[in-house]
Structure formats: structure tokens, C-alpha cells
Amino acid sequence: MSNMICLHGLTPEQEERIRAAAPEWSILFGRPNELDRSVYRDAEVILGWCGTAAEECLQQDSKLRWVQLWSSGADYMPFAALQEKGIMLTDAGGVHPVPMAETVFAMLLAFTRGLPWAIRNQQQRSWNKEGHFTELTGKTIGIIGVGHIGTEIARLAQAFGMRVIGVRRSKRSAPYVEAIYSLEELDKVLEESDVVVNVLPKTDRTLRLFDEVRFAAMKAGALFINVGRGTTVETDALVRSLQEGHLGGAGLDVFDIEPLPEDHPLWSMDNVIITPHIGGNTDQLKERVTALFIENLQTYLTQGEPARNVVNYDNQY
């Protein structure tokens, strides 16, 4: 009998659906601290990942063949070790676009309608009407990384009457995006955009891509939103651009060091909105991941490999 481990706290109904998809398998459900470490080496399939899995499932006698991640990013995974053992890896790309896109627009609307300023005034019981207010309509948004999440951001941006341009590795056209550019043409997108949204994954090519030169290439007063990976941004350069007034503001959900240190200057900047890497959090996440996992599980059982979101080890996503 083949063994499977599902590491996240699923509902009884979701557990039953997984059992129904693989009735001949032995399936363990539980959080990492609830399972004995001895069960990991016998698992052929794992939904989720944890430190114990990393220690046990990469041993010589491990039976692991496929890992389905709970996250859309896979950059924290041991790519070389997984590839060497021939273990297939799938991420949860496609389950986060709605909350991530709504996080982006929560930040953008907060900036354009002065909500951080209003909240500070409310805390002081101050009826202060001063402030700078603008609109998203008519602005150009540059989406850097037009994948599942980027496409949903583009859809909402178009609904707000924004002009949408973007960057993606393949340069394939995308719905709701007027023009697609390659990563080598990034500066052109930065120069044209009133809002720059970074949705890039962590790869060797994207490491500290947004540096002093790139921030200088952006329009004066532009807004910068990062919901991709913190390592794609040279944080000191971002701070300087904000302090010097070149950037109008930044909405940041991810950072190169997490948690962000308590003494970091970003915390005290009036033109910065910080969320603690929760942009993809939603009460719908478990259901979406369960549906994706079951779809991949069905093709794994019938064809020997999952159908969706297979991570390319060479591309690192």
C-alpha cells in the first residue's frame, strides 16, 4: 500500500475528498508536530513541507516521489536535492491571485485616497481635511511578473480604468495587458508607469533586481508595490528613494529579512504601508489548495505525474 501525508489542518470534508480520490492509499492527516518523524520516509506523496520532511524525505531510503506545496513560491525548497532524487515538485500557483490582487489594490487605494493619513488623524481625533488625493483612473500600471497573480491584478486595474503594461519572461501576450515586455526591457516599463507592482519570484536573475538604478528609472512620484519576493529588492536603495522623495510611496508585503527588524527605517515612514507577508492569506485558501491537490493527485495516479504547476528546476519556479 502506498503512503501519503497531508500536513495542513484540513476540514473533515476536505480529508474525505482526498481519501475518495485515492481509496487504496494509506493517508495520514496532521500538522508537522502531530506526526512521528518515522512516517516521513515511507511517504510517496506529501501535501505541504516542513523541517522534518526536509530531513527525512531526502535520505537515501526515502520513498518520496512527489511534493505538492501549499505556497505559490518554491524558492525555499532544496531544488538540487529534489532533482537529484527525481522527486517531482508542484506549487500552489493559481490559488493566490484573488487575495494577492486585492492586497495590491487595498494598498493603492489607501495611497490615492489618503487612508493612512486619515487613520492617523482619526487616532488623534483630528478633523483635518488637508492632504493629497488622486485617482487610479487614467494612470499606467506596470506589472513586473505577469503570471496568475499578475493577470488578476491586470484585470482589476483595467476595471479601474488604468492602462496596463507588463513584463514576463516569455513575452507571451496576457489578458487585460496592453503591452508585454521582456525582463531586458524592464526600464522601459518603469519609465512609463505611475504604479509599479513587483510580482517576481526569487531566482538568480531577479536577485536585487530593483536597485538604485532601477528606482531612479521610475517616474518621480511613482508608487512601488512589492508582493513578489523581498530578495528582488535592494532595500537600502528603496529606503533612499523614499526618503529623497523620488518615489511617492511603497506598499510592501515582503522583505529581504523577515520579520522586518523593529528598528528598520521603513516602519516609521509615512509614505510606506507594511503588511507582514500576508498578502495571499484568505479563508478560501484551504479549499483552493485541496481542489488543486486532488486534480494533480488524479493525474498522478493515472499518468504517473501531476498535471498542473510542475516546478521547473532549471528556472527555479
Side-chain angles (χ1 to χ4, degrees):
M1 179 178 289
S2 299
N3 297 302
M4 181 191 312
I5 297 175
C6 298
L7 287 175
H8 291 273
L10 303 175
T11 67
E13 187 272 337
Q14 290 163 346
E15 292 181 2
E16 186 54 38
R17 283 159 55 197
I18 293 173
R19 288 193 186 95
E24 297 181 359
W25 283 56
S26 172
I27 307 176
L28 284 175
F29 295 93
R31 299 186 182 277
N33 60 359
E34 298 171 346
L35 301 178
D36 189 278
R37 65 187 306 120
S38 63
V39 303
Y40 286 90
R41 293 198 193 187
D42 288 330
E44 180 178 335
V45 173
I46 293 182
L47 169 60
W49 194 248
C50 65
T52 306
E55 294 170 5
E56 297 294 333
C57 294
L58 299 178
Q59 297 297 322
Q60 190 65 36
D61 58 347
S62 168
K63 298 178 182 178
L64 187 63
R65 295 288 301 129
W66 167 40
V67 178
Q68 169 67 62
L69 294 179
W70 198 262
S71 60
S72 58
D75 51 81
Y76 57 91
M77 294 296 288
F79 289 143
L82 292 167
Q83 186 174 23
E84 182 180 352
K85 289 183 63 64
I87 297 169
M88 293 173 284
L89 178 66
T90 52
D91 63 30
V95 306
H96 297 96
V98 171
M100 294 291 282
E102 291 185 5
T103 293
V104 168
F105 275 87
M107 290 177 171
L108 289 181
L109 290 168
F111 278 124
T112 59
R113 305 314 306 156
L115 294 187
W117 164 85
I119 290 170
R120 286 192 292 271
N121 283 334
Q122 180 180 343
Q123 291 171 339
Q124 299 172 10
R125 301 172 185 257
S126 173
W127 188 266
N128 185 347
K129 293 188 178 183
E130 295 179 2
H132 175 72
F133 304 97
T134 185
E135 302 172 0
L136 293 176
T137 300
K139 300 286 196 304
T140 295
I141 183 172
I143 302 171
I144 317 304
V146 184
H148 296 295
I149 295 169
T151 299
E152 179 64 9
I153 294 169
R155 185 184 72 83
L156 294 184
Q158 193 175 85
F160 273 97
M162 303 182 78
R163 173 178 175 248
V164 186
I165 57 179
V167 168
R168 73 188 311 178
R169 185 175 61 87
S170 67
K171 284 195 71 172
R172 294 195 317 273
S173 62
Y176 316 109
V177 183
E178 177 182 305
I180 291 284
Y181 299 87
S182 69
L183 196 57
E184 288 71 27
E185 300 170 299
L186 173 60
D187 287 353
K188 178 175 176 58
V189 176
L190 300 181
E191 292 166 2
E192 294 186 26
S193 300
D194 302 290
V195 175
V196 174
V197 181
N198 175 27
V199 203
L200 290 173
K202 176 185 175 182
T203 69
D204 293 340
R205 292 188 68 196
T206 64
L207 184 64
R208 292 188 290 277
L209 182 68
F210 287 92
D211 56 13
E212 194 160 353
V213 174
R214 290 278 157 56
F215 287 122
M218 295 183 194
K219 281 185 176 182
L223 297 175
F224 177 70
I225 309 293
N226 189 11
V227 292
R229 283 293 181 265
T231 53
T232 63
V233 175
E234 192 175 291
T235 305
D236 289 346
L238 171 62
V239 169
R240 285 192 295 272
S241 188
L242 289 163
Q243 289 174 334
E244 294 167 2
H246 180 66
L247 284 181
L252 308 171
D253 185 54
V254 292
F255 304 87
D256 55 350
I257 299 175
E258 295 183 1
L260 186 67
E262 291 183 8
D263 61 350
H264 201 283
L266 286 170
W267 284 113
S268 59
M269 301 179 76
D270 289 344
N271 56 348
V272 173
I273 296 173
I274 291 173
T275 51
H277 207 147
I278 56 170
N281 289 12
T282 170
D283 57 359
Q284 301 300 312
L285 182 59
K286 286 184 180 180
E287 179 55 34
R288 290 175 181 151
V289 174
T290 299
L292 171 64
F293 178 58
I294 290 174
E295 179 181 347
N296 271 340
L297 179 59
Q298 290 169 337
T299 57
Y300 177 82
L301 295 176
T302 57
Q303 301 174 29
E305 57 185 19
R308 289 180 53 192
N309 297 3
V310 177
V311 173
N312 183 307
Y313 289 123
D314 292 331
N315 293 338
Q316 300 178 345
Y317 63 87

